[in-house]
Amino acid sequence: NKSLLEIFIERALQINYLNKIIVTVPDTSENDIILDELRTYPIEVVRGDENDVLSRYYKAVQNFSPSDIIRITSDCPFFEPNIVDQMIQFYYQNELDYVSNNLKDDWPHGLDVEIFSTHLLELANKEATSEYDKEHVTPWIRNNKFTKKKHFECNLNINKRIRLTVDYVEDYLFLKELLKKSTKNVNNISISDINKIIKLNPDLLIINKDKNLRINL
């Protein structure tokens, strides 16, 4: 009885090392409905170009002046707050410009998190020219030879073929069936919990297995 966006926000609110949550919503009229979903949460909303997501992020930076940015896309509602906290610590301990857990394919798709400096985002907004770079926000940052970046390795014994992102109807149906098997609150279910459910119900993976093509940006 919750939308994917509600689940996403409620999980984001569990991240410990976080000062502010900003949702960057496209400024087209069909996305106005999203604002109704967000009104009850202690978050900020920035609206901007639907296709130039990079400019939307830059607009958020201009409005709120963060030193660093955690990027989690809302088609990944089951990202894990605990993993995000670990990545934030890793980012600062290693004095990085950029850290991600999707530079390699050792995490299930749908747990994707990126952390990078505002300075790099400003450079990307200034220098990136291709539609691809503008739509996907971070390719210019990742490909910049001066970016000090690292992959956050997965040390969990989990099935890497579990697909938790929601790009297709099949993904949505998979998550609905998965959650029917869970005894935990949707806000607290972890990837380890999900892995246990899949071990007991491997046929669940059939629902969206044909969509499990991953392209690293």
Side-chain angles (χ1 to χ4, degrees):
N1 298 319
K2 290 184 179 180
S3 70
L4 293 172
L5 185 57
E6 286 179 293
I7 293 169
F8 180 92
I9 296 295
E10 289 172 8
R11 290 175 76 90
L13 288 167
Q14 297 176 50
I15 300 171
N16 289 315
Y17 304 113
L18 194 65
N19 300 115
K20 191 180 293 294
I21 297 173
I22 306 168
V23 183
T24 60
V25 181
D27 56 13
T28 49
S29 59
E30 59 264 33
N31 285 289
D32 290 348
I33 192 173
I34 294 175
L35 303 184
D36 294 330
E37 290 278 302
L38 300 175
R39 289 189 207 283
T40 58
Y41 295 102
I43 62 173
E44 305 288 349
V45 175
V46 170
R47 304 200 70 175
D49 189 283
E50 181 161 33
N51 297 312
D52 189 347
V53 190
L54 177 57
S55 73
R56 265 194 273 154
Y57 270 68
Y58 182 64
K59 190 174 179 181
V61 164
Q62 288 179 307
N63 287 358
F64 298 102
S65 301
S67 59
D68 300 281
I69 300 159
I70 304 163
R71 178 178 184 238
I72 310 173
T73 56
S74 56
D75 56 1
C76 297
F78 288 91
F79 73 91
E80 195 160 332
N82 178 53
I83 293 171
V84 180
D85 281 330
Q86 292 175 44
M87 290 180 65
I88 294 169
Q89 291 178 305
F90 182 82
Y91 174 81
Y92 286 114
Q93 287 168 356
N94 290 276
E95 299 181 342
L96 300 173
D97 299 319
Y98 175 93
V99 65
S100 172
N101 61 353
N102 65 8
L103 290 173
K104 301 177 185 176
D105 288 341
D106 58 346
W107 291 91
H109 191 17
L111 299 179
D112 309 51
V113 178
E114 298 174 290
I115 305 173
F116 47 92
S117 70
T118 292
H119 173 66
L120 270 180
L121 181 77
E122 291 170 338
L123 279 178
N125 186 69
K126 180 180 178 182
E127 301 292 339
T129 55
S130 74
E131 290 184 8
Y132 183 86
D133 284 349
K134 291 180 177 182
E135 179 185 354
H136 296 288
V137 182
T138 56
W140 187 93
I141 292 172
R142 294 162 76 130
N143 295 326
N144 184 347
K145 65 181 180 180
F146 298 109
T147 299
K148 185 180 179 184
K149 64 183 179 181
K150 279 192 177 183
H151 173 74
F152 187 75
E153 305 280 348
C154 181
N155 59 5
L156 302 174
N157 184 19
I158 51 178
N159 186 337
K160 309 301 190 297
R161 302 301 293 174
I162 300 172
R163 180 181 163 84
L164 295 171
T165 191
V166 186
D167 294 326
Y168 303 99
V169 172
E170 291 87 346
D171 297 328
Y172 175 73
L173 296 175
F174 166 72
L175 286 177
K176 286 193 74 169
E177 293 304 312
L178 176 76
L179 292 175
K180 287 178 184 178
K181 307 289 185 183
S182 174
T183 58
K184 287 199 171 184
N185 182 288
V186 68
N187 291 344
N188 299 322
I189 189 170
S190 70
I191 183 56
S192 296
D193 297 325
I194 291 170
N195 193 64
K196 289 174 185 176
I197 293 171
I198 295 299
K199 275 188 174 181
L200 294 172
N201 305 275
D203 287 352
L204 286 175
L205 293 181
I206 295 172
I207 298 172
N208 63 348
K209 72 178 179 66
D210 292 338
K211 307 301 181 183
N212 217 353
L213 174 66
R214 179 168 184 158
I215 301 174
N216 285 345
L217 301 177

